[in-house]
């Protein structure tokens, strides 16, 4: 019996020390560990020097014996699904430009949030145009029609060439206040993927087709009705008294089904500016809300009416 | 009814005892010692009568026929002996002392099977095969013993039968997973010494403890009196799933007061780093087990036994990978994407936690010399959980298809760059804990009350069951034996998910993020926003570590069965027949009101519930079996067996989406089985073996598969019913003793396990509120995923002067990967055929490459003074280091599609099959000491 007792005690102790044991992990600090790499070229010069093909859909390889680096601050978030698989970065230098960097990752803002400063080594990536809108990506040929464009950079490559440094600083992301008229009049290169804030803007309740306002049915007076999976963004007109522009929303945005703000709401609209032109159409700017919170001062009542919680 | 039968049998038995009897008796000892050996199975082969030795190694068989017969003496861990005996009528035949030689190789081979199989147990997404408990103990029959150990690394299944066609008992109590079928061998916690004593029988021919099943029937005897008196300690080292194992067992034998005690403890250990590092990268294995057994001999005819055991275990899993990934990581079969570094420490995301405390009370009553009643009551609680990521950010799998070179086929430059990164950068290949924490911390700042970007969740499948078994045997006379048994089982399976670790997030909001995407951009745009709620009855949506999330339901199963069988001896024929009736009922009980189910009920007017008790479903199933054995010349026999039965479907297969609703599969019916086999067995001095042919028809079976489909952005349950299959083949095993030192044994099977008809499929979208879709699945002609359907091996055994050695060459072929039903729906097959290259890659079932594997082992037993002994053993598997052999895996269900749902032919390489590869050269070194 004594043997049995000893064995039982010993075995019980073993159980405690084996099956139940586990490694304790310290939480990661969350610090961004990268170091800034100094720019060797501005975004403007990158476009000028390397985006050489003239078509509307292009992808030109960035090749050089030297390291080519751009820097900027992330101005976008995909948290509400309206921005998908890209980040826009804005140079913080005077007169600096912005550009879209396509990354093949939904949820990219989880690691590149608004206000994250990044250095990007662009060697061997492509810079090109999608509907004349400049982007950085990899070379991509669409299988169904052989259309060339900058494709989304696979995450393992993105991790190699995009270096975040410093803690995110969303306060440093400041939209440039402009009227619609000023946006339309500015050189395109300066406006591509720029974050702007339009004051005293309102939704007219109309859509936008082929670069011009268009009447839509009452049931479609939401940000983005579904497209049965085709996936093109939907445009809704805003005005600010100086001009008319299109707010472009994906049907996959979390606020896609929300009713458009009544035209009685007038206030600040912050948006990313981009351009799209295909074929012989005139082309037009699209304004993309990052989140519904981009409807700022003046839209508070509307946000309450749709129970918006960010 | 049972009482009447019982009284009838007792009465008949009383009359039978009046006749003169013939007995045989003897004693079994360990070869080279005076130590008696308990728990040895003694069988008169021609008469199919068996018993076991007691604690003193003694046995006695009564009510036997006189004349020449063969006596089989077998026990796990010892070489089986078969002796020709002459039994004189009407007297007590004392056969003297038999000495059994220790089989040192046996134990290490068991370890081989356990480690290899457990590695893949948790691949619940892939329907990976579980270990067959029969594999661990198939002694005696040449074919079964020759194939059970050696073929197990390739997931070989005898006759292709999966676990639900096998039965495992412990002390006469039937342990089976009532939801999934089959016995979960890992619940024994590696307590091999405690559970070594097994009685294994193949098929539904009569045995001592149950009606029989298609495959192996195993009864583990863990009663204290069957343990050898003394202690046994051993330690083992390996370069497999665990690196070190220590085991200690002690048995008291039967004490003067009629009590016997036994205890066993085990520790199995591997770390994810350092000297005890597991062979698979990033894996660890921590397990401790304890076994206690007490038995009281109440009088000469009755004993009571209590056994309790449990083995809390934490271990990790390895992922199946595509060939592309396999090649990119240098062909390493030990690559595992589930782990990554967190603050410099290795952390694995897939941690399995199991604990199966079990108690078995059993009563053995020798009513008379001819009658025996054995009753067992078992209680079993199983905690099983596995961890995995929930996410609302970047896909957490390093080998997600969009991260692989095959995905960027338009850009050679990027493809090469990605290839180089994969080959050279460990960070790319592994889980990125730092990114997840960073994402959650950014999110905390940006949205303090928002949804966590990443969590580690734990998916629980717990089980509580109570089982009662009772079996009555009566040797009515020399020519007639009756066996009757009953079984009852009540079980509750509890299925839920909890938050294991918030990974630094403020909280998790319990809503279905997949459905939410549909709600805003997909097919649910006009739906009520409440459909995204996982539990509409819970007003607190923010959850923290340990809280239950996503789903919470029970599956309650009650079964009962009764059987009776009779065995007759008529001249040179042994004939048997048996009947069994089984009752099964089940229902689901939901603890959450799921928003998708609520929507289907309230808005779409469907008969769907997720909260509360579902309807109770029940099935009544008959079984009938019969067979005979014809004695040709006392050395060779012809046997034939046949079985016809119906079976209730397993509860895991009957609900189309049991996590969220109680909807049953359409047109559900019982599974029908018709099985028959014919064998020729021979046992001559120069050669022994068996040749068999078998065929089993299974019709109206149900099978269920689950997978996540990015294209539809939902988890899909794909249920097949009306599944018809056929298992057929031949098997041959022979053993030839060359001389006193060498024996050559060989075995081979050539079989065909196929689906014989197309099946009805039901696709159920777990994350959306879509209606279930029914569509024919074209599986006719596909092969059942049952391991190699052609396999052969040859073994050379050496034994001399207490040295043991063997070498086995195995060959495998006709091994087919499991198919994904989604790839075989009528519509998908037709659509894929428009793209021949894509169809060849994605639209067919893969036949895996065959190959050879060489195993060897050597051991030495040394007897010391005072009945002590020491043994060493080294076993080496896969000596040829054949790591290109694929042991298992699965076909991915997804089909590459464009945003408009048309097939994207450019994606033919994105969703190729995923594999498990054979481990390279691996060894197991074992030192044991008995004292």
């Amino acid at each position: 019996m004594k043997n049995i007792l000893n064995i039982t005690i010993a075995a019980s102790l073993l159980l405690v020390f084996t099956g139940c044991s586990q490694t304790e992990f310290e939480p990661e600090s969350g610090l961004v560990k990268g170091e800034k790499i100094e720019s060797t070229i501005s975004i403007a010069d990158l476009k000028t020097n390397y985006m050489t093909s003239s078509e509307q859909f292009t992808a030109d390889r960035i090749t050089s014996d030297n390291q080519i680096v751009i820097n900027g601050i992330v101005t976008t978030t995909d948290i509400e699904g309206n921005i998908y698989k890209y980040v826009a970065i804005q140079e913080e230098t005077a007169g600096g430009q912005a550009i879209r960097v396509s990354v093949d990752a939904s949820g990219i803002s989880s690691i590149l949030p608004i206000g994250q400063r990044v250095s990007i080594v662009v060697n061997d990536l492509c810079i090109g145009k999608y509907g004349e809108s400049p982007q950085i990506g990899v070379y991509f040929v669409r299988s169904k029609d052989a259309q060339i464009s900058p494709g989304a950079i696979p995450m393992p490559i993105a991790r190699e060439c995009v270096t975040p440094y410093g803690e995110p600083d969303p306060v440093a992301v400041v939209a440039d206040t402009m009227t619609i008229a000023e946006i339309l009049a500015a050189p395109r290169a300066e406006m591509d993927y720029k974050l702007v804030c339009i004051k005293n803007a309102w939704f007219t309740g109309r859509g936008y087709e082929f670069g011009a306002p268009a009447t839509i049915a009452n049931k479609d007076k939401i940000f983005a009705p579904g497209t049965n999976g085709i996936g093109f963004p939907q445009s809704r007109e805003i005005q600010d008294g100086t001009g008319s522009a299109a707010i472009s929303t994906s049907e996959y945005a979390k606020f896609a089904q929300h009713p458009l703000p009544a035209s009685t709401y007038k206030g600040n609209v912050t948006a990313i500016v981009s351009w799209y032109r295909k074929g012989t159409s005139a082309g037009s700017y699209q304004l993309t809300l990052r989140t519904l919170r981009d409807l700022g001062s003046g839209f508070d009542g509307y946000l309450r009416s749709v129970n918006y919680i960010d | 009814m049972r009482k009447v039968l019982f009284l009838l049998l007792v009465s008949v038995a009383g009359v039978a005892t009046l006749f003169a009897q013939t007995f045989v008796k003897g004693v079994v000892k360990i070869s080279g010692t005076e130590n008696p050996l308990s728990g040895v199975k003694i069988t008169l082969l021609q008469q199919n009568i068996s018993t076991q030795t007691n604690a003193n190694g003694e046995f006695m068989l009564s009510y036997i026929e006189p004349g020449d017969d063969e006596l089989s003496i077998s026990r796990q861990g010892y070489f089986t002996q078969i002796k020709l005996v002459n039994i004189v009528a009407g007297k007590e035949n004392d056969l003297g002392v038999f000495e059994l030689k220790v089989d040192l190789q046996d134990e290490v081979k068991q370890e081989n099977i356990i480690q290899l199989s457990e590695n893949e147990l948790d691949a619940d997404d892939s329907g990976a095969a579980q270990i067959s408990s029969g594999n661990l103990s198939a002694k005696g029959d040449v074919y079964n013993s020759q194939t059970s150990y050696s073929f197990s690394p390739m997931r070989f299944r005898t006759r292709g039968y999966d676990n639900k066609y096998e039965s495992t008992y412990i002390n006469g109590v039937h342990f089976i997973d009532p939801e999934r079928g089959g016995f979960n061998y890992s619940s024994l916690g590696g307590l091999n010494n405690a559970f070594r004593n097994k009685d294994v029988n193949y098929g539904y021919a009569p045995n001592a403890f149950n009606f029989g099943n298609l495959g192996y029937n195993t009864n583990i005897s863990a009663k204290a009196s069957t343990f050898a008196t003394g202690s046994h300690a051993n330690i083992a080292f390996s370069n497999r799933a665990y690196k070190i194992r220590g085991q200690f067992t002690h048995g008291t034998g039967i004490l003067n007061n009629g009590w016997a005690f036994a205890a066993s403890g085990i520790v199995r250990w591997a770390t994810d780093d350092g000297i005890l590092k597991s062979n698979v990268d990033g894996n660890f294995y921590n397990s401790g087990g304890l076994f206690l057994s007490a038995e009281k001999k109440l009088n000469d005819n009755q004993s009571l036994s209590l056994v309790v055991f449990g083995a809390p275990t934490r271990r990790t899993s390895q992922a199946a990978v595509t060939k592309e990934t396999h090649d990119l990581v240098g062909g390493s079969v030990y690559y595992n994407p589930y782990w990554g570094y967190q603050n410099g420490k290795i952390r694995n995301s897939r941690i399995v936690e199991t604990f199966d405390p079990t108690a078995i009370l059993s009563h053995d009553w020798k009513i008379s010399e001819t009658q025996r009643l054995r009753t067992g009551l078992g209680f079993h609680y199983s905690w099983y959980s596995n961890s995995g990521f929930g996410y609302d950010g970047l896909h957490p799998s390093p080998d997600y298809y969009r991260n692989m070179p095959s995905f960027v086929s338009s850009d050679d430059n990027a493809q090469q760059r990605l290839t180089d990164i994969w080959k050279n950068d460990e960070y790319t290949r592994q889980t990125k804990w730092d990114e997840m924490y960073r994402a959650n911390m950014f999110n905390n700042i940006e949205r303090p009350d928002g949804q966590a970007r990443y969590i580690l969740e734990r998916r629980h499948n717990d089980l509580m069951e109570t089982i009662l078994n009772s079996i009555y045997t009566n040797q009515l006379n020399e020519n007639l034996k009756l066996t009757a048994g009953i079984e009852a089982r009540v079980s509750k399976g509890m299925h839920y998910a909890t938050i294991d670790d918030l990974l630094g997030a403020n909280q998790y909001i319990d809503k279905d993020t997949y459905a939410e995407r549909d709600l805003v951009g997909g097919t649910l745009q006009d739906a009520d926003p409440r459909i995204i709620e996982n539990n509409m009855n819970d007003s607190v949506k923010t959850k923290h570590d340990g809280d239950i999330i996503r789903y919470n339901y029970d599956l309650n199963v009650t079964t009962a069965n009764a059987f009776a069988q009779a065995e007759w001896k008529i001249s040179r024929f042994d004939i048997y027949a048996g009947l069994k009736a089984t009752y099964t009922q089940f229902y689901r009980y939901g603890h959450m009101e799921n928003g998708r189910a609520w929507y289907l009920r309230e808005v779409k007017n469907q008969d769907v519930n997720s909260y509360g008790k579902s309807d109770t479903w029940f099935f009544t199933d008959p079984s009938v079996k019969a067979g005979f054995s014809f004695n040709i010349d006392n050395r060779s026999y012809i046997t034939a067996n046949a079985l016809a039965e119906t079976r209730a479907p397993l509860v895991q297969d009957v609900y189309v989406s049991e996590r969220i609703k109680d909807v049953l599969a359409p047109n559900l019916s019982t599974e029908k089985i018709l099985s028959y086999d014919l064998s020729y067995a021979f046992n001559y001095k120069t050669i022994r073996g068996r040749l068999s042919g078998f065929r089993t028809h299974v019709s109206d079976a149900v099978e269920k598969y689950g997978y996540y489909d990015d294209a539809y952005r939902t988890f899909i349950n794909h249920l097949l019913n009306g599944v018809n299959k056929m298992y057929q083949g031949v098997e041959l095993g022979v053993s030839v003793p060359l001389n006193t030192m060498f024996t050559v044994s060989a075995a081979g099977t050539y079989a065909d396990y196929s689906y014989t008809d197309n099946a009805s499929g039901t696709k159920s979208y777990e994350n959306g509120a879509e209606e279930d879709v029914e569509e024919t699945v074209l599986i006719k002609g596909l092969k059942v995923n049952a391991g190699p359907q052609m396999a052969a091996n040859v073994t050379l055994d050496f034994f001399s002067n207490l040295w043991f050695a063997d070498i086995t060459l195995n060959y495998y072929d006709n091994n087919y990967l499991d198919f994904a039903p989604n790839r075989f729906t009528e519509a998908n097959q037709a659509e894929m055929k428009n793209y021949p290259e894509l169809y060849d890659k994605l639209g067919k079932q893969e036949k895996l490459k065959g190959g050879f594997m060489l195993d060897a082992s050597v051991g030495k037993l040394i007897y010391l003074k005072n009945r002590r002994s020491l043994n060493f053993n080294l076993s080496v598997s896969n000596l040829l280091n054949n790591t290109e052999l694929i042991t298992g895996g699965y076909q991915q269900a997804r089909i590459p599609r464009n945003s408009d749902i048309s097939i994207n032919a450019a994606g033919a390489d994105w969703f190729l099959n995923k594999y498990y590869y054979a481990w390279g050269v691996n060894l197991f070194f074992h030192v044991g000491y008995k004292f």
Side-chain angles (χ1 to χ4, degrees), chain B residues 880-901:
Chain B
L880 300 175
N881 196 31
N882 185 354
T883 55
E884 289 303 310
L885 261 186
I886 293 167
T887 61
Y890 58 94
Q891 182 177 47
Q892 298 195 70
R894 195 170 165 189
I895 295 168
R897 292 185 179 280
N898 298 306
S899 57
D900 61 0
I901 307 300

Side-chain angles (χ1 to χ4, degrees), chain A residues 7 11 15 18-19 22 24 26-29 61 79 85 104-105 109-110 139 159-160 168 229 251-252 257, chain B residues 250 288 290 312 314 342-343 345-346 394 402 407 411 417 435 439 441-442 447 453 520-521 525 713 899:
Chain A
I7 294 162
L15 282 184
T18 55
Q22 55 183 295
E24 291 297 328
E26 292 294 319
E28 287 274 356
S29 64
R61 183 81 60 197
I79 195 72
K85 291 192 174 181
D104 194 9
S109 65
S110 64
Y139 191 82
R159 285 192 184 94
E160 190 177 70
E251 64 183 307
Y252 296 109
Q257 297 294 309
Chain B
H250 181 81
L290 179 61
R314 292 184 87 243
Q342 181 173 331
N343 276 331
K345 286 184 187 171
I346 289 171
L394 306 182
R402 302 182 85 94
F407 186 70
D411 188 339
R417 185 172 182 176
E435 270 190 9
M441 296 191 76
F442 291 163
R447 299 183 303 165
R453 287 289 202 167
V520 297
Q525 289 186 5
R713 296 179 298 175
S899 57

Side-chain angles (χ1 to χ4, degrees), chain B residues 294-403:
Chain B
E295 185 175 357
K296 170 69 175 170
K297 198 169 182 187
L298 300 173
N299 53 43
D300 284 346
N301 297 319
Q302 293 190 63
S303 66
L304 199 60
S305 164
L306 177 66
V307 168
V308 293
F309 61 89
T313 300
R314 292 184 87 243
R315 58 187 169 80
T316 44
S317 320
Q318 183 182 11
V321 296
T322 61
K323 181 158 192 319
E324 179 185 23
T325 307
H326 175 73
D327 292 345
L328 285 169
V329 298
S332 170
V333 296
Y334 304 115
Y335 166 67
N336 187 10
Y338 287 154
W339 70 274
Y341 287 105
Q342 181 173 331
N343 276 331
K345 286 184 187 171
I346 289 171
R347 184 175 186 183
N348 194 308
S349 62
R350 299 293 182 106
I351 296 176
V352 178
E353 294 182 352
T354 64
F355 184 33
D356 285 78
T358 304
I360 304 163
L361 183 67
S362 49
H363 178 250
D364 194 341
W365 181 19
K366 191 176 175 184
I367 301 168
S368 70
E369 285 300 321
T370 57
Q371 299 179 80
R372 196 168 171 195
L373 180 67
R374 287 163 294 162
T375 304
L377 181 67
F379 178 79
H380 171 216
Y381 200 104
S382 171
W383 282 277
Y384 175 92
S385 64
N386 196 354
S387 57
F389 288 116
Y391 64 97
D392 186 20
L394 306 182
H395 200 290
S397 300
D399 56 344
Y400 183 52
Y401 75 100
R402 302 182 85 94
N403 294 336

